[in-house]
Amino acid sequence: MTTPHTTTPPTHPGAPPAATPRALNASRTTATAARVLRQLRHDPRTIALLILIPCVMLLLLRYVFDGSPRTFDSIGASLLGIFPLITMFLVTSIATLRERTSGTLERLLALPLGKGDLIAGYALAFGTLAIVQSALATGLAVWFLGLDVTGSPWLLLLVALLDALLGTALGLFVSAFAASEFQAVQFMPAVIFPQLLLCGLFTPRDKMHPALEAISDALPMSYAVDGMNEVLRHTDMTAAFVRDVLIVAGCALLVLGLGAATLRRRTS
């Protein structure tokens, strides 16, 4: 990964250091997003992981339950949101860590570029890929694999997209605490697996032990699955669906803010 060489203007003794931009700037954010997308364009394996793996997993799941299509209907919508979240988390955390360990983040943050611009740029770039990923996975599940959805497929797409953005936000956040790509992968059991077990995919959350149900109420993946199930069962947009969507979106924004606050220039 190459970064344009920049020169630092000479400073006089006693002169105050250059101020770091604090407010988000649209041009800096979009420039960061464009740089990330240019890099990803030259990494076909990462693009394949982001876009194709959720589709492949849904295809595999459909034919695992080939003799029981109702089982696929009952869990397919939930996994339509979970798979993008997991893949975006994994790729984003590793990609951001790689930028830091290579010194790219340190050089970028020496420019008039704030942490908020950097995090927002990464979120915009990976969010663009998340749109493609979610659209392909939703189209495959509904129109090719025959996922029986009572509500609008567009609402499924909305939740899948928000789940992918949440995975991006979580990946950006945890990358600040990893010193190597191996450590970034190790965060999956800590961050993703508990949510996967408690989100209601395997058993209704109200059937869990009360302590686990209370924990599940605080985990964003629970509301992602609830939102998918609302679309699965109701023809119209319900109040519960709106609540679930707002919670997932709010969690994504909150985690992005935490990611900007904890972003480090380099790995020590």
Side-chain angles (χ1 to χ4, degrees):
M1 178 170 8
T2 59
T3 304
H5 178 69
T6 58
T7 57
T8 303
T11 57
H12 299 286
T20 301
R22 295 184 180 276
L24 282 176
N25 180 277
S27 62
R28 293 194 298 258
T29 298
T30 53
T32 301
R35 180 187 64 83
V36 174
L37 289 173
R38 283 196 301 270
Q39 291 177 247
L40 289 172
R41 186 180 61 185
H42 300 292
D43 190 354
R45 287 178 296 181
T46 299
I47 294 177
L49 177 63
L50 283 172
I51 295 178
L52 297 181
I53 290 301
C55 295
V56 172
M57 296 300 292
L58 285 169
L59 185 66
L60 178 63
L61 184 71
R62 169 62 182 84
Y63 291 105
V64 164
F65 295 109
D66 189 44
S68 181
R70 289 190 177 181
T71 303
F72 176 72
D73 290 337
S74 64
I75 66 173
S78 299
L79 292 176
L80 184 59
I82 291 173
F83 286 156
L85 190 155
I86 294 174
T87 56
M88 294 303 293
F89 170 85
L90 182 62
V91 172
T92 305
S93 59
I94 292 176
T96 309
L97 178 65
R98 188 176 298 169
E99 296 257 270
R100 197 173 73 243
T101 55
S102 67
T104 301
L105 284 184
E106 186 175 18
R107 294 192 293 271
L108 288 173
L109 291 175
L111 301 172
L113 182 71
K115 291 183 178 181
D117 297 315
L118 196 65
I119 290 293
Y122 272 89
L124 181 59
F126 284 104
T128 302
L129 291 174
I131 293 174
V132 179
Q133 179 197 70
S134 301
L136 286 176
T138 303
L140 175 71
V142 175
W143 289 295
F144 182 75
L145 300 180
L147 180 66
D148 188 10
V149 180
T150 302
S152 170
W154 293 106
L155 297 180
L156 277 185
L157 175 60
L158 173 62
V159 181
L161 176 58
L162 290 175
D163 292 344
L165 293 176
L166 176 61
T168 298
L170 289 171
L172 290 169
F173 176 62
V174 304
S175 68
F177 304 99
S180 66
E181 293 180 17
F182 179 66
Q183 286 187 7
V185 174
Q186 286 180 314
F187 273 105
M188 277 198 67
V191 176
I192 299 297
F193 289 177
Q195 297 194 66
L196 187 62
L197 292 174
L198 299 177
C199 69
L201 177 64
F202 301 104
T203 186
R205 292 194 291 128
D206 57 4
K207 303 296 183 183
M208 299 178 184
H209 187 279
L212 295 180
E213 183 183 359
I215 294 173
S216 74
D217 288 340
L219 299 177
M221 191 183 290
S222 300
Y223 298 95
V225 170
D226 287 350
M228 287 293 191
N229 287 333
E230 286 294 310
V231 180
L232 195 67
R233 298 166 184 163
H234 299 90
T235 55
D236 299 322
M237 185 185 301
T238 64
F241 173 83
V242 174
R243 178 208 62 189
D244 296 333
V245 165
L246 290 177
I247 289 175
V248 174
C251 287
L253 292 175
L254 175 63
V255 176
L256 282 176
L258 292 174
T262 58
L263 182 68
R264 292 183 291 161
R265 291 174 179 265
R266 63 185 301 173
T267 300
S268 55

Short mmCIF file of all heavy atoms in Angstrom, two decimals, residues 4-51:
data_model
loop_
_atom_site.label_atom_id
_atom_site.label_comp_id
_atom_site.label_asym_id
_atom_site.label_seq_id
_atom_site.Cartn_x
_atom_site.Cartn_y
_atom_site.Cartn_z
N PRO A 4 1.03 8.87 -0.78
CA PRO A 4 1.77 9.98 -1.34
C PRO A 4 2.67 10.62 -0.31
O PRO A 4 2.30 10.80 0.85
CB PRO A 4 0.66 10.95 -1.79
CG PRO A 4 -0.55 10.11 -1.94
CD PRO A 4 -0.42 9.02 -0.94
N HIS A 5 3.91 10.96 -0.74
CA HIS A 5 4.87 11.57 0.16
C HIS A 5 4.44 12.99 0.48
O HIS A 5 4.04 13.75 -0.39
CB HIS A 5 6.25 11.59 -0.49
CG HIS A 5 7.31 12.26 0.37
ND1 HIS A 5 7.75 11.70 1.53
CD2 HIS A 5 7.96 13.44 0.21
CE1 HIS A 5 8.68 12.49 2.06
NE2 HIS A 5 8.81 13.56 1.29
N THR A 6 4.47 13.33 1.73
CA THR A 6 4.10 14.66 2.14
C THR A 6 5.24 15.30 2.90
O THR A 6 5.99 14.61 3.61
CB THR A 6 2.85 14.66 3.05
OG1 THR A 6 3.13 13.85 4.17
CG2 THR A 6 1.66 14.08 2.30
N THR A 7 5.40 16.57 2.77
CA THR A 7 6.44 17.29 3.49
C THR A 7 5.80 18.11 4.58
O THR A 7 4.71 18.65 4.44
CB THR A 7 7.20 18.22 2.54
OG1 THR A 7 6.28 19.10 1.93
CG2 THR A 7 7.92 17.41 1.46
N THR A 8 6.47 18.19 5.69
CA THR A 8 5.97 18.94 6.82
C THR A 8 6.58 20.32 6.81
O THR A 8 7.82 20.45 6.75
CB THR A 8 6.34 18.22 8.14
OG1 THR A 8 5.81 16.90 8.07
CG2 THR A 8 5.75 18.94 9.33
N PRO A 9 5.81 21.36 6.84
CA PRO A 9 6.37 22.70 6.80
C PRO A 9 7.19 22.97 8.04
O PRO A 9 6.89 22.46 9.12
CB PRO A 9 5.12 23.60 6.75
CG PRO A 9 4.02 22.78 7.28
CD PRO A 9 4.34 21.37 6.92
N PRO A 10 8.28 23.75 7.91
CA PRO A 10 9.12 24.01 9.05
C PRO A 10 8.37 24.81 10.11
O PRO A 10 7.52 25.63 9.81
CB PRO A 10 10.28 24.83 8.44
CG PRO A 10 9.69 25.45 7.21
CD PRO A 10 8.72 24.46 6.68
N THR A 11 8.70 24.52 11.32
CA THR A 11 8.08 25.23 12.42
C THR A 11 9.15 25.99 13.18
O THR A 11 10.32 25.59 13.21
CB THR A 11 7.37 24.26 13.36
OG1 THR A 11 8.33 23.30 13.82
CG2 THR A 11 6.25 23.52 12.65
N HIS A 12 8.78 27.08 13.81
CA HIS A 12 9.70 27.88 14.59
C HIS A 12 9.62 27.46 16.04
O HIS A 12 8.56 27.05 16.53
CB HIS A 12 9.33 29.37 14.46
CG HIS A 12 9.41 29.86 13.04
ND1 HIS A 12 10.60 30.08 12.41
CD2 HIS A 12 8.42 30.16 12.15
CE1 HIS A 12 10.36 30.52 11.17
NE2 HIS A 12 9.04 30.56 11.00
N PRO A 13 10.73 27.55 16.76
CA PRO A 13 10.69 27.18 18.18
C PRO A 13 9.62 27.98 18.91
O PRO A 13 9.49 29.19 18.75
CB PRO A 13 12.10 27.55 18.66
CG PRO A 13 12.95 27.53 17.42
CD PRO A 13 12.07 27.98 16.32
N GLY A 14 8.88 27.27 19.71
CA GLY A 14 7.83 27.92 20.49
C GLY A 14 6.53 28.09 19.76
O GLY A 14 5.54 28.54 20.34
N ALA A 15 6.52 27.77 18.45
CA ALA A 15 5.27 27.90 17.69
C ALA A 15 4.30 26.80 18.10
O ALA A 15 4.71 25.67 18.34
CB ALA A 15 5.56 27.81 16.19
N PRO A 16 3.02 27.09 18.21
CA PRO A 16 2.05 26.07 18.60
C PRO A 16 1.91 25.02 17.51
O PRO A 16 2.03 25.33 16.33
CB PRO A 16 0.73 26.86 18.77
CG PRO A 16 0.92 28.07 17.91
CD PRO A 16 2.37 28.39 17.96
N PRO A 17 1.68 23.75 17.90
CA PRO A 17 1.51 22.69 16.90
C PRO A 17 0.26 22.92 16.08
O PRO A 17 -0.68 23.59 16.50
CB PRO A 17 1.38 21.41 17.76
CG PRO A 17 0.90 21.89 19.09
CD PRO A 17 1.49 23.26 19.28
N ALA A 18 0.30 22.38 14.86
CA ALA A 18 -0.87 22.51 13.97
C ALA A 18 -2.07 21.84 14.60
O ALA A 18 -1.97 20.75 15.16
CB ALA A 18 -0.55 21.89 12.61
N ALA A 19 -3.20 22.49 14.50
CA ALA A 19 -4.42 21.94 15.09
C ALA A 19 -4.92 20.76 14.29
O ALA A 19 -4.90 20.78 13.06
CB ALA A 19 -5.50 23.02 15.15
N THR A 20 -5.35 19.75 15.00
CA THR A 20 -5.92 18.57 14.35
C THR A 20 -7.39 18.83 14.06
O THR A 20 -8.13 19.26 14.96
CB THR A 20 -5.79 17.33 15.25
OG1 THR A 20 -4.41 17.13 15.51
CG2 THR A 20 -6.37 16.11 14.57
N PRO A 21 -7.85 18.60 12.84
CA PRO A 21 -9.27 18.84 12.53
C PRO A 21 -10.16 18.01 13.43
O PRO A 21 -9.89 16.84 13.67
CB PRO A 21 -9.38 18.40 11.07
CG PRO A 21 -8.00 18.40 10.54
CD PRO A 21 -7.11 18.10 11.68
N ARG A 22 -11.20 18.64 13.95
CA ARG A 22 -12.10 17.94 14.85
C ARG A 22 -13.46 17.69 14.20
O ARG A 22 -14.03 16.63 14.37
CB ARG A 22 -12.28 18.75 16.15
CG ARG A 22 -10.99 18.85 16.95
CD ARG A 22 -11.21 19.56 18.28
NE ARG A 22 -9.97 19.65 19.05
CZ ARG A 22 -9.50 18.70 19.83
NH1 ARG A 22 -10.17 17.57 19.94
NH2 ARG A 22 -8.37 18.84 20.49
N ALA A 23 -13.98 18.66 13.48
CA ALA A 23 -15.29 18.48 12.87
C ALA A 23 -15.17 17.62 11.62
O ALA A 23 -14.17 17.66 10.91
CB ALA A 23 -15.89 19.83 12.51
N LEU A 24 -16.21 16.84 11.38
CA LEU A 24 -16.23 16.03 10.17
C LEU A 24 -16.28 16.92 8.94
O LEU A 24 -16.97 17.94 8.93
CB LEU A 24 -17.45 15.10 10.19
CG LEU A 24 -17.37 13.85 11.06
CD1 LEU A 24 -18.69 13.12 11.03
CD2 LEU A 24 -16.25 12.93 10.60
N ASN A 25 -15.52 16.55 7.94
CA ASN A 25 -15.48 17.30 6.70
C ASN A 25 -15.83 16.36 5.55
O ASN A 25 -15.23 15.29 5.41
CB ASN A 25 -14.09 17.90 6.50
CG ASN A 25 -13.98 18.70 5.22
OD1 ASN A 25 -13.75 18.14 4.15
ND2 ASN A 25 -14.13 20.01 5.33
N ALA A 26 -16.82 16.75 4.74
CA ALA A 26 -17.31 15.87 3.68
C ALA A 26 -16.23 15.53 2.67
O ALA A 26 -16.11 14.37 2.23
CB ALA A 26 -18.51 16.50 2.99
N SER A 27 -15.42 16.50 2.28
CA SER A 27 -14.40 16.24 1.26
C SER A 27 -13.31 15.31 1.78
O SER A 27 -12.84 14.42 1.07
CB SER A 27 -13.79 17.56 0.77
OG SER A 27 -13.16 18.24 1.83
N ARG A 28 -12.91 15.50 3.04
CA ARG A 28 -11.89 14.61 3.61
C ARG A 28 -12.45 13.20 3.77
O ARG A 28 -11.74 12.21 3.55
CB ARG A 28 -11.42 15.15 4.96
CG ARG A 28 -10.63 16.46 4.89
CD ARG A 28 -9.92 16.73 6.19
NE ARG A 28 -10.83 16.90 7.31
CZ ARG A 28 -11.18 18.08 7.83
NH1 ARG A 28 -10.70 19.20 7.29
NH2 ARG A 28 -11.99 18.15 8.86
N THR A 29 -13.71 13.10 4.18
CA THR A 29 -14.32 11.78 4.36
C THR A 29 -14.44 11.03 3.04
O THR A 29 -14.09 9.85 2.94
CB THR A 29 -15.71 11.95 5.01
OG1 THR A 29 -15.56 12.54 6.30
CG2 THR A 29 -16.39 10.60 5.15
N THR A 30 -14.94 11.71 2.01
CA THR A 30 -15.10 11.05 0.71
C THR A 30 -13.75 10.70 0.09
O THR A 30 -13.63 9.69 -0.59
CB THR A 30 -15.91 11.93 -0.25
OG1 THR A 30 -15.32 13.24 -0.32
CG2 THR A 30 -17.35 12.06 0.23
N ALA A 31 -12.73 11.55 0.32
CA ALA A 31 -11.40 11.23 -0.20
C ALA A 31 -10.84 9.98 0.47
O ALA A 31 -10.22 9.13 -0.19
CB ALA A 31 -10.46 12.41 0.03
N THR A 32 -11.08 9.84 1.77
CA THR A 32 -10.65 8.63 2.48
C THR A 32 -11.38 7.40 1.95
O THR A 32 -10.78 6.34 1.73
CB THR A 32 -10.90 8.79 3.99
OG1 THR A 32 -10.19 9.92 4.48
CG2 THR A 32 -10.45 7.55 4.75
N ALA A 33 -12.69 7.53 1.76
CA ALA A 33 -13.48 6.41 1.24
C ALA A 33 -13.00 6.01 -0.15
O ALA A 33 -12.88 4.81 -0.45
CB ALA A 33 -14.96 6.77 1.21
N ALA A 34 -12.71 6.98 -1.00
CA ALA A 34 -12.23 6.68 -2.35
C ALA A 34 -10.89 5.96 -2.30
O ALA A 34 -10.65 5.03 -3.09
CB ALA A 34 -12.12 7.97 -3.16
N ARG A 35 -10.01 6.37 -1.39
CA ARG A 35 -8.71 5.70 -1.28
C ARG A 35 -8.88 4.24 -0.87
O ARG A 35 -8.24 3.33 -1.42
CB ARG A 35 -7.84 6.43 -0.25
CG ARG A 35 -6.46 5.82 -0.06
CD ARG A 35 -5.72 6.48 1.07
NE ARG A 35 -6.38 6.26 2.35
CZ ARG A 35 -6.22 5.17 3.08
NH1 ARG A 35 -5.45 4.17 2.64
NH2 ARG A 35 -6.83 5.03 4.22
N VAL A 36 -9.77 3.99 0.12
CA VAL A 36 -10.00 2.61 0.57
C VAL A 36 -10.58 1.76 -0.55
O VAL A 36 -10.17 0.61 -0.76
CB VAL A 36 -10.93 2.61 1.80
CG1 VAL A 36 -11.30 1.18 2.20
CG2 VAL A 36 -10.26 3.32 2.98
N LEU A 37 -11.53 2.32 -1.30
CA LEU A 37 -12.14 1.57 -2.41
C LEU A 37 -11.12 1.27 -3.51
O LEU A 37 -11.16 0.20 -4.12
CB LEU A 37 -13.32 2.33 -2.98
CG LEU A 37 -14.57 2.40 -2.07
CD1 LEU A 37 -15.61 3.32 -2.67
CD2 LEU A 37 -15.14 1.00 -1.84
N ARG A 38 -10.19 2.21 -3.77
CA ARG A 38 -9.15 1.95 -4.77
C ARG A 38 -8.26 0.80 -4.33
O ARG A 38 -7.86 -0.05 -5.14
CB ARG A 38 -8.31 3.21 -5.00
CG ARG A 38 -9.00 4.27 -5.86
CD ARG A 38 -8.01 5.30 -6.36
NE ARG A 38 -7.33 5.98 -5.24
CZ ARG A 38 -7.78 7.10 -4.68
NH1 ARG A 38 -8.90 7.66 -5.10
NH2 ARG A 38 -7.10 7.66 -3.69
N GLN A 39 -7.95 0.76 -3.04
CA GLN A 39 -7.13 -0.34 -2.54
C GLN A 39 -7.87 -1.67 -2.64
O GLN A 39 -7.28 -2.69 -3.03
CB GLN A 39 -6.73 -0.08 -1.09
CG GLN A 39 -5.75 1.06 -0.91
CD GLN A 39 -5.46 1.30 0.55
OE1 GLN A 39 -5.81 2.32 1.11
NE2 GLN A 39 -4.81 0.36 1.17
N LEU A 40 -9.14 -1.67 -2.27
CA LEU A 40 -9.91 -2.91 -2.31
C LEU A 40 -10.08 -3.42 -3.74
O LEU A 40 -10.19 -4.63 -3.96
CB LEU A 40 -11.28 -2.70 -1.66
CG LEU A 40 -11.29 -2.53 -0.14
CD1 LEU A 40 -12.67 -2.15 0.34
CD2 LEU A 40 -10.82 -3.82 0.54
N ARG A 41 -10.10 -2.51 -4.70
CA ARG A 41 -10.25 -2.91 -6.09
C ARG A 41 -9.10 -3.81 -6.54
O ARG A 41 -9.27 -4.67 -7.42
CB ARG A 41 -10.30 -1.66 -6.97
CG ARG A 41 -10.60 -1.94 -8.44
CD ARG A 41 -10.64 -0.64 -9.21
NE ARG A 41 -9.35 0.05 -9.16
CZ ARG A 41 -9.12 1.25 -9.67
NH1 ARG A 41 -10.11 1.92 -10.24
NH2 ARG A 41 -7.93 1.80 -9.59
N HIS A 42 -7.95 -3.66 -5.91
CA HIS A 42 -6.79 -4.48 -6.25
C HIS A 42 -6.65 -5.70 -5.35
O HIS A 42 -5.60 -6.34 -5.33
CB HIS A 42 -5.51 -3.63 -6.19
CG HIS A 42 -5.52 -2.45 -7.12
ND1 HIS A 42 -5.48 -2.60 -8.49
CD2 HIS A 42 -5.59 -1.12 -6.88
CE1 HIS A 42 -5.52 -1.40 -9.06
NE2 HIS A 42 -5.59 -0.49 -8.11
N ASP A 43 -7.68 -5.97 -4.57
CA ASP A 43 -7.66 -7.12 -3.66
C ASP A 43 -8.90 -7.98 -3.92
O ASP A 43 -9.87 -7.93 -3.18
CB ASP A 43 -7.64 -6.63 -2.21
CG ASP A 43 -7.37 -7.75 -1.21
OD1 ASP A 43 -7.31 -8.93 -1.63
OD2 ASP A 43 -7.23 -7.45 -0.01
N PRO A 44 -8.88 -8.79 -4.99
CA PRO A 44 -10.08 -9.55 -5.36
C PRO A 44 -10.50 -10.56 -4.31
O PRO A 44 -11.68 -10.88 -4.19
CB PRO A 44 -9.67 -10.24 -6.67
CG PRO A 44 -8.18 -10.23 -6.68
CD PRO A 44 -7.77 -9.01 -5.95
N ARG A 45 -9.55 -11.07 -3.53
CA ARG A 45 -9.92 -12.05 -2.50
C ARG A 45 -10.79 -11.40 -1.42
O ARG A 45 -11.77 -12.01 -0.96
CB ARG A 45 -8.67 -12.66 -1.87
CG ARG A 45 -7.95 -13.65 -2.78
CD ARG A 45 -6.70 -14.18 -2.15
NE ARG A 45 -5.73 -13.11 -1.93
CZ ARG A 45 -4.51 -13.30 -1.40
NH1 ARG A 45 -4.14 -14.52 -1.05
NH2 ARG A 45 -3.69 -12.29 -1.24
N THR A 46 -10.45 -10.19 -1.02
CA THR A 46 -11.26 -9.50 -0.03
C THR A 46 -12.65 -9.18 -0.58
O THR A 46 -13.66 -9.34 0.11
CB THR A 46 -10.57 -8.21 0.42
OG1 THR A 46 -9.31 -8.53 1.02
CG2 THR A 46 -11.42 -7.45 1.44
N ILE A 47 -12.71 -8.74 -1.83
CA ILE A 47 -14.00 -8.44 -2.44
C ILE A 47 -14.85 -9.70 -2.52
O ILE A 47 -16.06 -9.68 -2.25
CB ILE A 47 -13.79 -7.83 -3.83
CG1 ILE A 47 -13.12 -6.45 -3.72
CG2 ILE A 47 -15.12 -7.71 -4.58
CD1 ILE A 47 -12.80 -5.80 -5.04
N ALA A 48 -14.22 -10.82 -2.87
CA ALA A 48 -14.96 -12.09 -2.94
C ALA A 48 -15.49 -12.48 -1.56
O ALA A 48 -16.64 -12.94 -1.43
CB ALA A 48 -14.06 -13.18 -3.51
N LEU A 49 -14.66 -12.28 -0.53
CA LEU A 49 -15.10 -12.62 0.82
C LEU A 49 -16.28 -11.75 1.24
O LEU A 49 -17.26 -12.25 1.81
CB LEU A 49 -13.93 -12.43 1.81
CG LEU A 49 -14.25 -12.66 3.29
CD1 LEU A 49 -14.66 -14.11 3.53
CD2 LEU A 49 -13.06 -12.31 4.16
N LEU A 50 -16.22 -10.47 0.93
CA LEU A 50 -17.27 -9.56 1.33
C LEU A 50 -18.59 -9.81 0.61
O LEU A 50 -19.66 -9.79 1.21
CB LEU A 50 -16.83 -8.11 1.08
CG LEU A 50 -15.85 -7.50 2.07
CD1 LEU A 50 -15.37 -6.16 1.55
CD2 LEU A 50 -16.49 -7.33 3.43
N ILE A 51 -18.50 -10.05 -0.69
CA ILE A 51 -19.71 -10.07 -1.51
C ILE A 51 -20.25 -11.48 -1.73
O ILE A 51 -21.47 -11.70 -1.71
CB ILE A 51 -19.43 -9.38 -2.86
CG1 ILE A 51 -19.14 -7.89 -2.63
CG2 ILE A 51 -20.60 -9.54 -3.83
CD1 ILE A 51 -18.80 -7.12 -3.88
#
